[in-house]
Amino acid sequence: PLRTADLIGIDNLVDALQALHARTGDERCRPSELLLDKVRRGELGRKSGRGFYVYSEARS
């Protein structure tokens, strides 16, 4: 699940969870502080080079 979060973007995951929480009111859909902190730090996954894992440029 963490690699998938990095692939789709942690910011996108947070946005989806916030929308679910707003529509359902279900507290289980509220994004965790860990996810929110990663977004604040710019650790968005593959697109930023860092999320739950660190990604480096492919070498040719």
Side-chain angles (χ1 to χ4, degrees):
L2 300 179
R3 288 188 194 276
T4 302
D6 276 0
L7 180 64
I8 65 171
I10 296 171
D11 55 332
N12 291 325
L13 177 58
V14 165
D15 288 344
L17 288 169
Q18 288 173 332
L20 277 172
H21 180 259
R23 289 183 183 182
T24 66
D26 188 341
E27 288 300 311
R28 295 175 296 175
C29 294
R30 186 183 296 272
S32 70
E33 279 303 313
L34 174 72
L35 293 175
L36 294 171
D37 286 343
K38 285 196 165 295
V39 171
R40 286 183 204 115
R41 290 191 305 261
E43 297 175 7
L44 307 178
R46 285 188 172 269
K47 62 184 164 187
S48 68
R50 181 179 209 85
F52 287 100
Y53 299 93
V54 176
Y55 303 93
S56 59
E57 293 289 323
R59 296 179 187 179
S60 44

